[in-house]
Short mmCIF file of all heavy atoms in Angstrom, two decimals:
data_model
loop_
_atom_site.label_atom_id
_atom_site.label_comp_id
_atom_site.label_asym_id
_atom_site.label_seq_id
_atom_site.Cartn_x
_atom_site.Cartn_y
_atom_site.Cartn_z
N LEU J 1 0.83 -1.21 0.00
CA LEU J 1 0.00 -0.01 0.00
C LEU J 1 0.87 1.26 0.00
O LEU J 1 0.52 2.24 -0.65
CB LEU J 1 -0.94 0.00 1.20
CG LEU J 1 -2.09 -1.02 1.17
CD1 LEU J 1 -2.80 -1.04 2.52
CD2 LEU J 1 -3.06 -0.72 0.03
N SER J 2 1.99 1.23 0.71
CA SER J 2 2.84 2.42 0.80
C SER J 2 3.52 2.75 -0.53
O SER J 2 3.87 3.89 -0.77
CB SER J 2 3.89 2.24 1.90
OG SER J 2 4.83 1.26 1.51
N THR J 3 3.68 1.74 -1.39
CA THR J 3 4.30 1.99 -2.70
C THR J 3 3.26 2.28 -3.78
O THR J 3 3.62 2.51 -4.93
CB THR J 3 5.18 0.80 -3.13
OG1 THR J 3 4.36 -0.37 -3.24
CG2 THR J 3 6.31 0.56 -2.16
N GLY J 4 1.97 2.24 -3.41
CA GLY J 4 0.92 2.52 -4.36
C GLY J 4 0.51 1.33 -5.22
O GLY J 4 -0.24 1.49 -6.17
N ASP J 5 1.00 0.14 -4.87
CA ASP J 5 0.61 -1.06 -5.61
C ASP J 5 -0.87 -1.33 -5.44
O ASP J 5 -1.46 -1.04 -4.42
CB ASP J 5 1.37 -2.30 -5.10
CG ASP J 5 2.86 -2.24 -5.38
OD1 ASP J 5 3.28 -1.44 -6.23
OD2 ASP J 5 3.59 -3.02 -4.75
N LYS J 6 -1.48 -1.93 -6.46
CA LYS J 6 -2.85 -2.40 -6.34
C LYS J 6 -2.78 -3.71 -5.57
O LYS J 6 -2.03 -4.61 -5.93
CB LYS J 6 -3.46 -2.63 -7.72
CG LYS J 6 -4.93 -2.97 -7.67
CD LYS J 6 -5.50 -3.16 -9.06
CE LYS J 6 -5.58 -1.83 -9.75
NZ LYS J 6 -6.27 -1.91 -11.06
N VAL J 7 -3.55 -3.81 -4.49
CA VAL J 7 -3.51 -4.99 -3.62
C VAL J 7 -4.88 -5.62 -3.54
O VAL J 7 -5.87 -4.94 -3.32
CB VAL J 7 -3.04 -4.61 -2.19
CG1 VAL J 7 -3.00 -5.83 -1.30
CG2 VAL J 7 -1.68 -3.92 -2.22
N PHE J 8 -4.90 -6.93 -3.71
CA PHE J 8 -6.11 -7.73 -3.52
C PHE J 8 -5.87 -8.60 -2.29
O PHE J 8 -4.93 -9.39 -2.28
CB PHE J 8 -6.42 -8.60 -4.74
CG PHE J 8 -6.68 -7.79 -5.97
CD1 PHE J 8 -5.64 -7.41 -6.80
CD2 PHE J 8 -7.96 -7.39 -6.27
CE1 PHE J 8 -5.88 -6.67 -7.92
CE2 PHE J 8 -8.21 -6.64 -7.40
CZ PHE J 8 -7.16 -6.26 -8.23
N LEU J 9 -6.69 -8.45 -1.28
CA LEU J 9 -6.55 -9.22 -0.05
C LEU J 9 -7.58 -10.33 -0.02
O LEU J 9 -8.78 -10.06 -0.06
CB LEU J 9 -6.71 -8.31 1.18
CG LEU J 9 -6.62 -9.00 2.53
CD1 LEU J 9 -5.24 -9.61 2.73
CD2 LEU J 9 -6.93 -8.00 3.63
N ASP J 10 -7.11 -11.56 0.00
CA ASP J 10 -7.98 -12.73 0.08
C ASP J 10 -7.92 -13.22 1.52
O ASP J 10 -7.01 -13.93 1.91
CB ASP J 10 -7.52 -13.81 -0.88
CG ASP J 10 -8.39 -15.06 -0.84
OD1 ASP J 10 -9.34 -15.12 -0.03
OD2 ASP J 10 -8.11 -15.99 -1.61
N SER J 11 -8.88 -12.77 2.31
CA SER J 11 -8.86 -13.06 3.73
C SER J 11 -10.28 -12.93 4.28
O SER J 11 -10.92 -11.91 4.10
CB SER J 11 -7.94 -12.05 4.43
OG SER J 11 -7.89 -12.24 5.80
N THR J 12 -10.77 -13.98 4.91
CA THR J 12 -12.09 -13.94 5.51
C THR J 12 -11.98 -13.17 6.82
O THR J 12 -11.27 -13.58 7.72
CB THR J 12 -12.62 -15.36 5.76
OG1 THR J 12 -12.63 -16.06 4.52
CG2 THR J 12 -14.02 -15.32 6.35
N ASN J 13 -12.65 -12.07 6.90
CA ASN J 13 -12.58 -11.21 8.10
C ASN J 13 -13.98 -11.02 8.65
O ASN J 13 -14.70 -10.10 8.26
CB ASN J 13 -11.95 -9.87 7.74
CG ASN J 13 -10.53 -10.05 7.27
OD1 ASN J 13 -9.66 -10.40 8.04
ND2 ASN J 13 -10.30 -9.87 5.98
N VAL J 14 -14.36 -11.90 9.57
CA VAL J 14 -15.72 -11.88 10.09
C VAL J 14 -15.90 -10.92 11.26
O VAL J 14 -17.02 -10.63 11.64
CB VAL J 14 -16.20 -13.30 10.48
CG1 VAL J 14 -16.23 -14.21 9.26
CG2 VAL J 14 -15.32 -13.89 11.56
N GLU J 15 -14.83 -10.44 11.82
CA GLU J 15 -14.92 -9.55 12.98
C GLU J 15 -14.82 -8.09 12.53
O GLU J 15 -13.93 -7.73 11.77
CB GLU J 15 -13.82 -9.86 13.99
CG GLU J 15 -13.91 -11.26 14.55
CD GLU J 15 -12.76 -11.60 15.47
OE1 GLU J 15 -12.30 -10.68 16.19
OE2 GLU J 15 -12.31 -12.74 15.45
N VAL J 16 -15.72 -7.28 13.03
CA VAL J 16 -15.76 -5.86 12.67
C VAL J 16 -14.43 -5.20 12.95
O VAL J 16 -13.91 -4.44 12.13
CB VAL J 16 -16.91 -5.14 13.41
CG1 VAL J 16 -16.84 -3.64 13.19
CG2 VAL J 16 -18.25 -5.69 12.98
N ARG J 17 -13.84 -5.45 14.11
CA ARG J 17 -12.58 -4.78 14.48
C ARG J 17 -11.45 -5.12 13.51
O ARG J 17 -10.60 -4.29 13.20
CB ARG J 17 -12.18 -5.10 15.91
CG ARG J 17 -11.79 -6.52 16.15
CD ARG J 17 -11.29 -6.80 17.59
NE ARG J 17 -10.97 -8.18 17.74
CZ ARG J 17 -9.87 -8.76 17.25
NH1 ARG J 17 -9.00 -8.05 16.59
NH2 ARG J 17 -9.66 -10.05 17.42
N VAL J 18 -11.45 -6.35 12.99
CA VAL J 18 -10.41 -6.75 12.03
C VAL J 18 -10.62 -6.02 10.71
O VAL J 18 -9.67 -5.48 10.13
CB VAL J 18 -10.42 -8.29 11.82
CG1 VAL J 18 -9.46 -8.70 10.71
CG2 VAL J 18 -10.07 -9.00 13.13
N ARG J 19 -11.86 -5.98 10.24
CA ARG J 19 -12.14 -5.24 9.00
C ARG J 19 -11.82 -3.77 9.18
O ARG J 19 -11.27 -3.14 8.28
CB ARG J 19 -13.60 -5.43 8.60
CG ARG J 19 -13.91 -6.83 8.09
CD ARG J 19 -15.28 -6.91 7.44
NE ARG J 19 -16.38 -6.53 8.31
CZ ARG J 19 -17.03 -7.38 9.11
NH1 ARG J 19 -16.68 -8.64 9.17
NH2 ARG J 19 -18.02 -6.95 9.85
N ALA J 20 -12.16 -3.20 10.32
CA ALA J 20 -11.88 -1.78 10.56
C ALA J 20 -10.39 -1.50 10.49
O ALA J 20 -9.96 -0.47 9.95
CB ALA J 20 -12.45 -1.36 11.93
N ASP J 21 -9.57 -2.40 11.02
CA ASP J 21 -8.12 -2.23 10.96
C ASP J 21 -7.63 -2.27 9.51
O ASP J 21 -6.78 -1.45 9.11
CB ASP J 21 -7.41 -3.33 11.77
CG ASP J 21 -5.90 -3.20 11.67
OD1 ASP J 21 -5.35 -2.22 12.20
OD2 ASP J 21 -5.28 -4.08 11.02
N LEU J 22 -8.17 -3.16 8.71
CA LEU J 22 -7.76 -3.25 7.31
C LEU J 22 -8.17 -1.99 6.54
O LEU J 22 -7.40 -1.47 5.74
CB LEU J 22 -8.35 -4.50 6.66
CG LEU J 22 -7.86 -5.83 7.23
CD1 LEU J 22 -8.66 -6.98 6.68
CD2 LEU J 22 -6.37 -6.01 6.98
N VAL J 23 -9.38 -1.51 6.81
CA VAL J 23 -9.85 -0.28 6.17
C VAL J 23 -8.95 0.90 6.58
O VAL J 23 -8.54 1.71 5.75
CB VAL J 23 -11.32 0.01 6.53
CG1 VAL J 23 -11.74 1.41 6.11
CG2 VAL J 23 -12.22 -1.05 5.89
N GLU J 24 -8.62 0.97 7.86
CA GLU J 24 -7.75 2.05 8.34
C GLU J 24 -6.38 2.00 7.68
O GLU J 24 -5.80 3.03 7.34
CB GLU J 24 -7.62 1.99 9.86
CG GLU J 24 -6.70 3.03 10.45
CD GLU J 24 -7.03 4.46 10.04
OE1 GLU J 24 -8.22 4.78 9.88
OE2 GLU J 24 -6.09 5.28 9.88
N ARG J 25 -5.83 0.81 7.48
CA ARG J 25 -4.52 0.67 6.81
C ARG J 25 -4.59 1.26 5.40
O ARG J 25 -3.69 1.99 4.98
CB ARG J 25 -4.11 -0.79 6.71
CG ARG J 25 -3.60 -1.36 7.99
CD ARG J 25 -3.34 -2.87 7.88
NE ARG J 25 -3.04 -3.39 9.19
CZ ARG J 25 -1.88 -3.27 9.79
NH1 ARG J 25 -0.86 -2.69 9.18
NH2 ARG J 25 -1.69 -3.74 11.00
N ALA J 26 -5.65 0.93 4.66
CA ALA J 26 -5.78 1.46 3.31
C ALA J 26 -5.96 2.97 3.33
O ALA J 26 -5.33 3.68 2.53
CB ALA J 26 -6.96 0.79 2.61
N ARG J 27 -6.76 3.47 4.23
CA ARG J 27 -6.99 4.91 4.31
C ARG J 27 -5.72 5.67 4.69
O ARG J 27 -5.46 6.76 4.19
CB ARG J 27 -8.12 5.23 5.30
CG ARG J 27 -9.47 4.85 4.73
CD ARG J 27 -10.60 5.20 5.65
NE ARG J 27 -11.88 4.91 4.98
CZ ARG J 27 -12.98 4.64 5.61
NH1 ARG J 27 -13.03 4.64 6.93
NH2 ARG J 27 -14.07 4.36 4.93
N ARG J 28 -4.95 5.08 5.58
CA ARG J 28 -3.68 5.70 5.99
C ARG J 28 -2.76 5.92 4.79
O ARG J 28 -2.02 6.89 4.73
CB ARG J 28 -3.00 4.79 7.02
CG ARG J 28 -1.83 5.42 7.73
CD ARG J 28 -1.27 4.54 8.83
NE ARG J 28 -2.25 3.61 9.36
CZ ARG J 28 -1.97 2.34 9.68
NH1 ARG J 28 -0.78 1.85 9.54
NH2 ARG J 28 -2.91 1.54 10.14
N HIS J 29 -2.83 5.02 3.84
CA HIS J 29 -2.00 5.12 2.63
C HIS J 29 -2.76 5.77 1.47
O HIS J 29 -2.29 5.77 0.33
CB HIS J 29 -1.52 3.72 2.21
CG HIS J 29 -0.62 3.09 3.21
ND1 HIS J 29 0.69 3.49 3.43
CD2 HIS J 29 -0.81 2.08 4.10
CE1 HIS J 29 1.25 2.76 4.37
NE2 HIS J 29 0.35 1.89 4.80
N ARG J 30 -3.96 6.31 1.80
CA ARG J 30 -4.80 7.00 0.80
C ARG J 30 -5.08 6.11 -0.41
O ARG J 30 -4.99 6.55 -1.56
CB ARG J 30 -4.15 8.32 0.38
CG ARG J 30 -4.07 9.33 1.49
CD ARG J 30 -3.49 10.63 1.00
NE ARG J 30 -3.65 11.69 1.93
CZ ARG J 30 -2.86 11.90 2.99
NH1 ARG J 30 -1.89 11.08 3.26
NH2 ARG J 30 -3.07 12.94 3.79
N ARG J 31 -5.43 4.87 -0.12
CA ARG J 31 -5.75 3.90 -1.17
C ARG J 31 -7.24 3.61 -1.16
O ARG J 31 -7.86 3.55 -0.10
CB ARG J 31 -4.97 2.59 -0.95
CG ARG J 31 -3.45 2.76 -0.89
CD ARG J 31 -2.85 3.27 -2.17
NE ARG J 31 -3.14 2.30 -3.22
CZ ARG J 31 -3.21 2.59 -4.50
NH1 ARG J 31 -3.05 3.80 -4.91
NH2 ARG J 31 -3.49 1.66 -5.36
N PRO J 32 -7.86 3.43 -2.34
CA PRO J 32 -9.29 3.12 -2.39
C PRO J 32 -9.57 1.72 -1.84
O PRO J 32 -8.69 0.85 -1.85
CB PRO J 32 -9.62 3.19 -3.88
CG PRO J 32 -8.32 2.96 -4.57
CD PRO J 32 -7.25 3.50 -3.65
N ILE J 33 -10.79 1.51 -1.37
CA ILE J 33 -11.17 0.24 -0.75
C ILE J 33 -12.45 -0.27 -1.40
O ILE J 33 -13.42 0.48 -1.53
CB ILE J 33 -11.45 0.44 0.76
CG1 ILE J 33 -10.28 1.13 1.44
CG2 ILE J 33 -11.78 -0.89 1.43
CD1 ILE J 33 -10.68 1.86 2.70
N VAL J 34 -12.45 -1.52 -1.77
CA VAL J 34 -13.66 -2.19 -2.25
C VAL J 34 -13.71 -3.55 -1.55
O VAL J 34 -12.74 -4.31 -1.59
CB VAL J 34 -13.65 -2.41 -3.78
CG1 VAL J 34 -14.88 -3.19 -4.22
CG2 VAL J 34 -13.55 -1.07 -4.50
N ALA J 35 -14.81 -3.83 -0.89
CA ALA J 35 -14.98 -5.11 -0.23
C ALA J 35 -15.85 -6.01 -1.11
O ALA J 35 -16.84 -5.53 -1.68
CB ALA J 35 -15.65 -4.94 1.14
N VAL J 36 -15.49 -7.26 -1.20
CA VAL J 36 -16.32 -8.22 -1.93
C VAL J 36 -16.84 -9.19 -0.89
O VAL J 36 -16.07 -9.84 -0.19
CB VAL J 36 -15.52 -8.97 -3.02
CG1 VAL J 36 -16.42 -9.99 -3.72
CG2 VAL J 36 -14.93 -8.00 -4.02
N ARG J 37 -18.15 -9.26 -0.79
CA ARG J 37 -18.77 -10.14 0.20
C ARG J 37 -19.40 -11.31 -0.54
O ARG J 37 -20.26 -11.13 -1.39
CB ARG J 37 -19.82 -9.37 0.99
CG ARG J 37 -20.50 -10.22 2.04
CD ARG J 37 -21.42 -9.41 2.88
NE ARG J 37 -22.43 -8.75 2.06
CZ ARG J 37 -23.36 -7.95 2.55
NH1 ARG J 37 -23.39 -7.68 3.83
NH2 ARG J 37 -24.26 -7.40 1.76
N PHE J 38 -18.96 -12.50 -0.21
CA PHE J 38 -19.53 -13.72 -0.79
C PHE J 38 -20.57 -14.25 0.16
O PHE J 38 -20.32 -14.44 1.34
CB PHE J 38 -18.43 -14.77 -1.00
CG PHE J 38 -17.46 -14.38 -2.07
CD1 PHE J 38 -16.28 -13.75 -1.74
CD2 PHE J 38 -17.73 -14.65 -3.40
CE1 PHE J 38 -15.37 -13.40 -2.72
CE2 PHE J 38 -16.83 -14.28 -4.38
CZ PHE J 38 -15.64 -13.66 -4.05
N MET J 39 -21.74 -14.50 -0.35
CA MET J 39 -22.85 -14.92 0.49
C MET J 39 -23.23 -16.37 0.15
O MET J 39 -23.31 -16.72 -1.02
CB MET J 39 -24.06 -14.03 0.25
CG MET J 39 -23.74 -12.55 0.24
SD MET J 39 -24.11 -11.69 1.74
CE MET J 39 -25.82 -11.96 1.95
N ALA J 40 -23.45 -17.14 1.15
CA ALA J 40 -23.96 -18.51 0.98
C ALA J 40 -24.99 -18.74 2.06
O ALA J 40 -24.90 -18.19 3.16
CB ALA J 40 -22.83 -19.52 1.10
N ASP J 41 -25.97 -19.57 1.75
CA ASP J 41 -26.99 -19.82 2.75
C ASP J 41 -26.38 -20.68 3.87
O ASP J 41 -25.42 -21.42 3.66
CB ASP J 41 -28.21 -20.49 2.14
CG ASP J 41 -27.88 -21.86 1.59
OD1 ASP J 41 -27.39 -21.94 0.44
OD2 ASP J 41 -28.07 -22.85 2.32
N PRO J 42 -26.91 -20.59 5.09
CA PRO J 42 -26.34 -21.32 6.24
C PRO J 42 -26.25 -22.83 6.02
O PRO J 42 -25.27 -23.45 6.43
CB PRO J 42 -27.28 -20.97 7.39
CG PRO J 42 -27.83 -19.63 7.01
CD PRO J 42 -27.97 -19.67 5.52
N ASP J 43 -27.21 -23.44 5.35
CA ASP J 43 -27.15 -24.89 5.12
C ASP J 43 -25.93 -25.26 4.30
O ASP J 43 -25.25 -26.26 4.57
CB ASP J 43 -28.42 -25.39 4.43
CG ASP J 43 -29.65 -25.32 5.34
OD1 ASP J 43 -29.46 -25.28 6.57
OD2 ASP J 43 -30.77 -25.29 4.81
N THR J 44 -25.63 -24.46 3.29
CA THR J 44 -24.43 -24.72 2.47
C THR J 44 -23.17 -24.56 3.30
O THR J 44 -22.26 -25.38 3.21
CB THR J 44 -24.40 -23.73 1.27
OG1 THR J 44 -25.58 -23.92 0.49
CG2 THR J 44 -23.17 -23.94 0.41
N CYS J 45 -23.12 -23.53 4.13
CA CYS J 45 -21.94 -23.32 4.99
C CYS J 45 -21.73 -24.50 5.93
O CYS J 45 -20.61 -24.98 6.08
CB CYS J 45 -22.10 -22.03 5.79
SG CYS J 45 -22.09 -20.55 4.77
N HIS J 46 -22.81 -24.95 6.56
CA HIS J 46 -22.69 -26.08 7.50
C HIS J 46 -22.25 -27.34 6.78
O HIS J 46 -21.42 -28.08 7.28
CB HIS J 46 -24.02 -26.30 8.23
CG HIS J 46 -24.36 -25.22 9.19
ND1 HIS J 46 -23.60 -24.92 10.31
CD2 HIS J 46 -25.38 -24.31 9.19
CE1 HIS J 46 -24.14 -23.90 10.95
NE2 HIS J 46 -25.21 -23.50 10.29
N ALA J 47 -22.78 -27.59 5.60
CA ALA J 47 -22.41 -28.78 4.83
C ALA J 47 -20.93 -28.74 4.44
O ALA J 47 -20.20 -29.73 4.58
CB ALA J 47 -23.29 -28.92 3.58
N ARG J 48 -20.47 -27.59 3.99
CA ARG J 48 -19.06 -27.45 3.63
C ARG J 48 -18.17 -27.59 4.85
O ARG J 48 -17.09 -28.19 4.78
CB ARG J 48 -18.81 -26.10 2.96
CG ARG J 48 -19.41 -26.00 1.59
CD ARG J 48 -19.15 -24.64 1.00
NE ARG J 48 -19.78 -24.54 -0.29
CZ ARG J 48 -19.88 -23.39 -0.95
NH1 ARG J 48 -19.41 -22.28 -0.43
NH2 ARG J 48 -20.46 -23.36 -2.13
#
């Protein structure tokens, strides 16, 4: 982020505080943020 590279983070972050830290890191480096949320129904999650 400090060098201005485009970064894609593949990391499941279910806790608000963890996501907030990642957002703050990007903002500190003045980098845009886009979150991709993958949704699955609970039955599928439990089966997997």
Side-chain angles (χ1 to χ4, degrees):
L1 290 171
S2 69
T3 61
D5 293 343
K6 187 179 289 187
V7 180
F8 297 89
L9 178 62
D10 180 358
S11 179
T12 303
N13 297 291
V14 297
E15 298 176 35
V16 173
R17 67 176 179 75
V18 173
R19 289 191 301 272
D21 177 68
L22 295 171
V23 169
E24 178 54 34
R25 284 173 188 282
R27 287 183 175 154
R28 191 174 335 140
H29 296 288
R30 294 183 168 81
R31 303 296 299 154
I33 307 156
V34 176
V36 179
R37 180 174 58 181
F38 292 95
M39 313 260 302
D41 65 276
D43 291 339
T44 300
C45 294
H46 291 296
R48 289 179 183 170

